[in-house]
Amino acid sequence: RKGQPYLVEAFAKIAEDCPDWQLVIAGRHASDVTSNEMLNAITRHRLTERVEVLTDVNDELARNLIAEAAIFAMPSLAEGLG
């Protein structure tokens, strides 16, 4: 249901033009298929040093990450508010 692999693909398209940017993907749990697709995209685009994947993120950490972010995106393939 989540679109994290698409977010990695989008970041890959702008990463070279924005060398100081880092992508942080944070959440509680993604399906194994989604996780594998996301990790494969990170590796394929050579973004392992620029993409941080945080799992089992509690509400407080999520609020802090959103407050610190310059850009926030919530990719979703099936939810109405993605």
CSV table of all heavy atoms in Angstrom, one decimal, residues 28 57-66:
chain,number,residue,atom,x,y,z
A,28,ARG,N,6.6,2.3,10.5
A,28,ARG,CA,6.5,1.2,11.5
A,28,ARG,C,6.8,-0.1,10.9
A,28,ARG,O,7.5,-0.9,11.4
A,28,ARG,CB,5.1,1.3,12.1
A,28,ARG,CG,5.0,2.5,13.0
A,28,ARG,CD,3.8,2.3,14.0
A,28,ARG,NE,3.8,3.4,14.9
A,28,ARG,CZ,3.2,4.6,14.7
A,28,ARG,NH1,2.6,4.8,13.6
A,28,ARG,NH2,3.2,5.5,15.6
A,57,VAL,N,9.3,3.2,14.0
A,57,VAL,CA,9.3,4.6,14.5
A,57,VAL,C,8.1,4.9,15.4
A,57,VAL,O,7.0,4.7,14.9
A,57,VAL,CB,9.4,5.6,13.3
A,57,VAL,CG1,9.3,7.0,13.7
A,57,VAL,CG2,10.7,5.3,12.5
A,58,ASN,N,8.4,5.4,16.6
A,58,ASN,CA,7.2,5.7,17.5
A,58,ASN,C,6.7,7.1,17.1
A,58,ASN,O,7.3,7.9,16.3
A,58,ASN,CB,7.7,5.6,18.9
A,58,ASN,CG,8.8,6.6,19.3
A,58,ASN,OD1,8.8,7.7,18.8
A,58,ASN,ND2,9.6,6.2,20.2
A,59,ASP,N,5.6,7.5,17.7
A,59,ASP,CA,4.9,8.8,17.4
A,59,ASP,C,5.8,10.0,17.7
A,59,ASP,O,5.9,10.9,16.9
A,59,ASP,CB,3.6,8.9,18.1
A,59,ASP,CG,2.6,7.9,17.6
A,59,ASP,OD1,2.7,7.4,16.5
A,59,ASP,OD2,1.5,7.8,18.3
A,60,GLU,N,6.5,9.9,18.8
A,60,GLU,CA,7.4,11.1,19.1
A,60,GLU,C,8.5,11.3,18.1
A,60,GLU,O,8.7,12.4,17.7
A,60,GLU,CB,8.0,10.9,20.5
A,60,GLU,CG,8.9,12.1,21.0
A,60,GLU,CD,9.4,11.9,22.4
A,60,GLU,OE1,9.1,10.9,23.0
A,60,GLU,OE2,10.2,12.8,22.7
A,61,LEU,N,9.2,10.2,17.7
A,61,LEU,CA,10.2,10.3,16.7
A,61,LEU,C,9.6,10.8,15.4
A,61,LEU,O,10.2,11.6,14.7
A,61,LEU,CB,11.0,9.0,16.6
A,61,LEU,CG,12.1,9.0,15.5
A,61,LEU,CD1,13.1,10.1,15.7
A,61,LEU,CD2,12.7,7.6,15.5
A,62,ALA,N,8.5,10.3,15.0
A,62,ALA,CA,7.8,10.7,13.8
A,62,ALA,C,7.6,12.2,13.8
A,62,ALA,O,7.8,12.9,12.8
A,62,ALA,CB,6.5,9.9,13.6
A,63,ARG,N,7.0,12.7,14.9
A,63,ARG,CA,6.8,14.1,15.0
A,63,ARG,C,8.1,14.9,14.9
A,63,ARG,O,8.1,16.0,14.2
A,63,ARG,CB,6.1,14.5,16.3
A,63,ARG,CG,4.6,14.1,16.3
A,63,ARG,CD,3.9,14.7,17.6
A,63,ARG,NE,4.4,14.1,18.8
A,63,ARG,CZ,3.9,13.0,19.3
A,63,ARG,NH1,2.9,12.3,18.7
A,63,ARG,NH2,4.4,12.5,20.5
A,64,ASN,N,9.1,14.5,15.5
A,64,ASN,CA,10.4,15.2,15.4
A,64,ASN,C,11.0,15.2,14.0
A,64,ASN,O,11.5,16.2,13.6
A,64,ASN,CB,11.4,14.6,16.4
A,64,ASN,CG,11.1,14.9,17.9
A,64,ASN,OD1,10.3,15.8,18.2
A,64,ASN,ND2,11.6,14.0,18.8
A,65,LEU,N,10.9,14.1,13.4
A,65,LEU,CA,11.4,14.0,12.0
A,65,LEU,C,10.6,14.9,11.1
A,65,LEU,O,11.2,15.6,10.2
A,65,LEU,CB,11.3,12.5,11.5
A,65,LEU,CG,12.3,11.5,12.1
A,65,LEU,CD1,11.9,10.1,11.7
A,65,LEU,CD2,13.7,11.9,11.7
A,66,ILE,N,9.3,14.9,11.2
A,66,ILE,CA,8.5,15.8,10.4
A,66,ILE,C,8.8,17.3,10.7
A,66,ILE,O,8.9,18.1,9.7
A,66,ILE,CB,7.0,15.5,10.6
A,66,ILE,CG1,6.7,14.1,10.0
A,66,ILE,CG2,6.1,16.6,9.9
A,66,ILE,CD1,5.3,13.6,10.4
